[in-house]
Amino acid sequence: MDKIRNFCIIAHIDHGKSTLADRLLEYTNTVAKKDLQAQVLDSMDLERERGITIKSHAVQMKYTLHGEEYTLNLIDTPGHVDFSYEVSRSIAACEGALLIIDASQGVQAQTISNLYMAIEHDLEIIPIINKCDMDNAMPEVVEDEIVDLLGCPREDIIRASGKTGMGVDEILNAIVEKIPAPKGDPNAPLQCLIFDSVFNNFRGIIAYFKVVNGVLRTGDFVKFFNTGRQYDADEIGILKMDMQPTQELSTGNVGYIISGIKTSSEVKVGDTITHVNRPCKEAIAGFEEVKPMVFAGVYPIETEDYENLRASLEKLQLNDASLSFSPESSVALGFGFRCGFLGLLHMEIVQERLDREFDMDVITTVPNVSYLIYDKNGNEIEVHNPAGMPDVATIEHIEEPYIRASIITTTNYIGPIMTLCLDKRGELIKQEFISGNRVEIVFDLPLGEIVIDFYDKLKSISKGYASFDYHANGFRPSKLVKLDILLNGEPVDALSTLTHQDNAVTFGRRMCEKLKELLPRQQFDIAIQAAIGAKIIARETVKQLRKDVTAKCYGGDVSRKRKLLEKQKRGKKRMKQIGNVEVPQKAFLAVLKLD
């Protein structure tokens, strides 16, 4: 156990975690020279294409220092705010963390939030300034920021570069010398913490775990503490670049277990594995349940694909425990699922993965957040979908979720960022200078306002220099109204939204104008209306396609023309009764892009 070190890498998005992880694997000869490629640990094509880490990945390395061989278990983590749940899982399985900060960008919002998470779990932090080889690097300035943030001595900060390999030896030595060995009792009853799981078509579900106490051997009869299910450990092993079976895993080690589990609901991330004949007294604590922030309906384009979509979502949920879903139906779209996501990027990634990994074509409705509705009898209802709202007459008041947002930027952009947040009904909490011309602005914002395009706008007005991080901050009463979109008098439930009373009229008007551009013209007029309850607040009309029936009348009495036009009018009227309006998928997406 003294020779084991478990650590993770935390940083803001794009500060070079994956590149540095590549260098660590190269220097410890974990990956053969011929197999080296950029972002070795990012196994999904999607991660490589976008240059972001979506999943946390575990890998074991061997490193020799002063003639002693050490086992280093690295868990690489994502940096985007939408995947902070992955980070919390990795932190729960480690004793130390490498805090990586870009030498040209300095401390950013996600860095701070991930750092606080690591400090709460008492991890040993090793500060590293990455990308020191770049021409625009400012290591001295960044060092000042780190000293302010961590209060550590300057000489503890390692200057490195993932590209050139500078400082990698120092990092490996620091991991061995500073990060404590895992604590635990090899003779106690078995306790293993599951921190991830993947689905394999041939072997079933493979769970990744860390042994906290006791020893696990191949063939042991084990049970999963929370679900109470019992299995044989058919194969256990360690995670190198691929899985390597071993006979036993002792306390402090990280590995995988294959026990022929077929259904995804039997493996829960954060569960504890123990022996059947000598079980542990209690499960391992310190694992937080994830709360989805954004909800959207996901519907199959073909109705008969409903069951396939359910199976695909279940397999995806194994690999991405922060995704939650429940069945729902819609008048316009048929049967589908209401899914909970951590944010818009998460939603986009899930949609993309459904398409790539499971070949599922889906329609996603307008994303929205959950609201608490109190009726006049004092009952509380949680609503994720505007279609599920009770009658307006019975509602006492509605509460919406708020977030505490922290934005770090340079002083030049304070004005536009303040304006953006105040336009989104934000409330300024504090503003403090971090170092030099960098400032942290803290706002309380309604989650419903930032869910659609806030992040994109923030990036564009700050020319990419503002970083953003948030956490949930309770519910507050608010004047919200349900905005319905009607096509020829029929409400389209997939387009209805809950919005603030002050924004409703302008938002309704913009939606009608946008839909007028996007709906294909029919043989009859289409009336697009925005309504709050029974009151219509905006209307646009998509004009019908008309054949020129009077073209053949080149003179004569006007009554001949009138007769033909009346006949056409009767036909149009009859057509309108039986015609229905198809809403194309891009119309649902366009509502998100309203600016």
Side-chain angles (χ1 to χ4, degrees):
M1 252 172 73
D2 306 343
K3 302 286 184 290
I4 298 174
R5 302 285 183 271
N6 298 322
F7 67 100
C8 59
I9 300 183
I10 54 178
H12 189 82
I13 187 167
D14 211 18
H15 280 204
K17 305 178 287 303
S18 301
T19 317
L20 203 62
D22 292 351
R23 292 292 80 72
L24 294 174
L25 294 172
E26 185 188 341
Y27 274 59
T28 54
N29 299 323
T30 308
V31 182
K33 278 275 191 286
K34 66 180 188 339
D35 296 333
L36 266 178
Q37 54 175 352
Q39 294 172 264
V40 179
L41 290 178
D42 291 351
S43 51
M44 267 185 255
D45 294 342
L46 203 55
E47 292 180 307
R48 290 173 190 286
E49 282 165 30
R50 293 183 175 229
I52 56 175
T53 305
I54 296 169
K55 288 284 303 159
S56 46
H57 298 273
V59 63
Q60 188 178 97
M61 305 177 277
K62 297 281 188 210
Y63 180 62
T64 310
L65 181 68
H66 309 318
E68 302 258 357
E69 189 181 57
Y70 291 88
T71 301
L72 313 181
N73 290 312
L74 154 69
I75 302 176
D76 180 27
T77 64
H80 195 281
V81 59
D82 278 10
F83 303 114
S84 50
Y85 179 60
E86 292 281 331
V87 183
S88 76
R89 299 179 358 188
S90 308
I91 286 175
C94 295
E95 281 82 37
L98 306 184
L99 176 72
I100 296 181
I101 293 167
D102 187 323
S104 58
Q105 295 183 343
V107 172
Q108 291 192 285
Q110 196 58 34
T111 316
I112 296 181
S113 96
N114 286 345
L115 173 69
Y116 287 158
M117 214 188 296
I119 290 175
E120 274 171 31
H121 281 79
D122 291 340
L123 298 199
E124 177 66 42
I125 311 285
I126 299 176
I128 297 164
I129 301 180
N130 196 16
K131 306 192 185 180
C132 284
D133 59 319
M134 286 173 70
D135 298 337
N136 59 347
M138 337 166 273
E140 283 78 19
V141 178
V142 179
E143 269 185 8
D144 292 341
E145 290 181 13
I146 296 176
V147 171
D148 284 351
L149 187 65
L150 279 176
C152 62
R154 247 171 210 287
E155 52 275 10
D156 284 1
I157 302 170
I158 301 172
R159 293 190 185 186
S161 160
K163 206 175 197 174
T164 61
M166 150 190 173
V168 174
D169 287 329
E170 281 181 64
I171 294 173
L172 286 165
N173 293 351
I175 291 168
V176 171
E177 287 163 1
K178 291 187 179 165
I179 294 178
K183 298 179 182 68
D185 180 0
N187 302 318
L190 179 70
Q191 268 185 319
C192 305
L193 173 73
I194 301 179
F195 63 84
D196 203 356
S197 57
V198 293
F199 183 78
N200 181 308
N201 281 332
F202 306 104
R203 317 280 317 255
I205 291 162
I206 304 169
Y208 297 163
F209 61 88
K210 174 192 173 187
V211 186
V212 179
N213 286 315
V215 178
L216 179 63
R217 295 182 178 83
T218 307
D220 280 357
F221 194 36
V222 296
K223 77 166 179 183
F224 286 26
F225 204 88
N226 290 338
T227 56
R229 299 297 186 101
Q230 302 184 352
Y231 308 100
D232 284 312
D234 299 334
E235 182 185 309
I236 60 168
I238 53 171
L239 298 154
K240 289 247 173 153
M241 283 317 291
D242 41 21
M243 296 188 226
Q244 292 189 357
T246 52
Q247 283 308 302
E248 70 168 42
L249 283 169
S250 55
T251 308
N253 254 315
V254 172
Y256 68 90
I257 177 169
I258 300 177
S259 48
I261 305 170
K262 292 287 183 286
T263 43
S264 52
S265 57
E266 293 177 26
V267 178
K268 289 202 167 31
V269 169
D271 201 351
T272 305
I273 305 176
T274 185
H275 282 130
V276 173
N277 8 359
R278 191 181 163 213
C280 56
K281 297 278 189 298
E282 55 191 22
I284 301 164
F287 212 85
E288 53 196 62
E289 269 294 306
V290 62
K291 288 195 171 49
M293 296 289 226
V294 178
F295 295 87
V298 173
Y299 293 86
I301 288 178
E302 300 295 333
T303 10
E304 57 266 24
D305 287 344
Y306 176 73
E307 280 305 323
N308 295 352
L309 179 60
R310 180 197 294 275
S312 308
L313 282 168
E314 280 177 357
K315 285 177 185 167
L316 200 56
Q317 196 179 31
L318 264 186
N319 201 259
D320 179 355
S322 48
L323 171 69
S324 60
F325 62 92
S326 60
E328 73 163 4
S329 65
S330 140
V331 183
L333 299 168
F335 289 104
F337 295 93
R338 169 114 322 224
C339 299
F341 307 98
L342 296 183
L344 275 196
L345 177 72
H346 185 210
M347 173 174 141
E348 204 180 310
I349 295 291
V350 167
Q351 214 175 332
E352 187 98 1
R353 286 182 69 185
L354 280 171
D355 181 31
R356 290 188 182 201
E357 295 173 26
F358 305 102
D359 206 17
M360 292 296 312
D361 277 340
V362 293
I363 289 180
T364 314
T365 64
V366 183
N368 57 330
V369 298
S370 56
Y371 297 92
L372 292 179
I373 295 177
Y374 292 88
D375 63 15
K376 290 180 174 164
N377 303 333
N379 302 326
E380 177 189 306
I381 312 159
E382 189 173 340
V383 172
H384 300 312
N385 185 352
M389 269 191 66
D391 183 24
V392 184
T394 64
I395 295 174
E396 176 67 37
H397 71 277
I398 303 178
E399 293 191 357
E400 62 175 336
Y402 265 69
I403 56 158
R404 176 66 56 93
S406 146
I407 299 168
I408 295 182
T409 179
T410 51
T411 44
N412 336 357
Y413 304 114
I414 293 181
I417 288 175
M418 290 275 201
T419 314
L420 173 70
C421 293
L422 294 170
D423 285 350
K424 298 281 188 190
R425 301 190 283 128
E427 187 186 310
L428 180 65
I429 302 299
K430 65 172 182 181
Q431 168 185 346
E432 55 184 329
F433 285 84
I434 301 177
S435 65
N437 67 341
R438 291 162 63 82
V439 62
E440 180 182 17
I441 310 170
V442 178
F443 264 93
D444 274 356
L445 287 157
L447 181 60
E449 291 281 345
I450 69 148
V451 105
I452 291 180
D453 57 357
F454 179 81
Y455 195 61
D456 299 345
K457 283 187 178 170
L458 179 73
K459 282 291 180 200
S460 57
I461 60 176
S462 67
K463 300 191 172 54
Y465 277 108
S467 59
F468 169 69
D469 180 53
Y470 63 84
H471 56 265
N473 194 24
F475 283 76
R476 299 186 191 178
S478 187
K479 288 183 183 167
L480 295 167
V481 288
K482 181 183 174 190
L483 183 72
D484 286 314
I485 298 292
L486 314 174
L487 296 180
N488 282 344
E490 290 292 319
V492 182
D493 55 355
L495 286 174
S496 56
T497 49
L498 280 172
T499 179
H500 195 264
Q501 205 166 352
D502 302 349
N503 308 341
V505 177
T506 47
F507 186 62
R509 202 165 286 151
R510 288 208 321 262
M511 261 170 101
C512 289
E513 286 163 8
K514 195 80 183 175
L515 284 169
K516 184 182 176 183
E517 294 167 24
L518 292 162
L519 288 180
R521 287 172 71 187
Q522 306 279 359
Q523 298 281 347
F524 49 89
D525 277 358
I526 304 172
I528 305 168
Q529 295 166 310
I532 296 173
K535 183 183 171 194
I536 304 292
I537 54 168
R539 170 179 171 136
E540 293 285 339
T541 308
V542 178
K543 283 313 222 183
Q544 60 197 8
L545 291 165
R546 296 184 63 160
K547 181 180 171 187
D548 188 359
V549 288
T550 57
K552 60 179 184 259
C553 302
Y554 49 86
D557 191 1
V558 72
S559 60
R560 289 181 61 200
K561 289 184 180 176
R562 175 73 51 234
K563 184 178 158 193
L564 288 168
L565 287 168
E566 285 297 328
K567 188 178 172 189
Q568 184 185 32
K569 197 168 162 187
R570 285 197 301 276
K572 294 279 181 205
K573 192 173 171 187
R574 201 162 59 242
M575 201 180 283
K576 186 170 180 173
Q577 288 165 356
I578 58 166
N580 64 345
V581 186
E582 289 288 315
V583 184
Q585 164 73 1
K586 63 173 187 250
F588 292 115
L589 296 175
V591 180
L592 314 188
K593 304 274 187 302
L594 284 179
D595 46 350

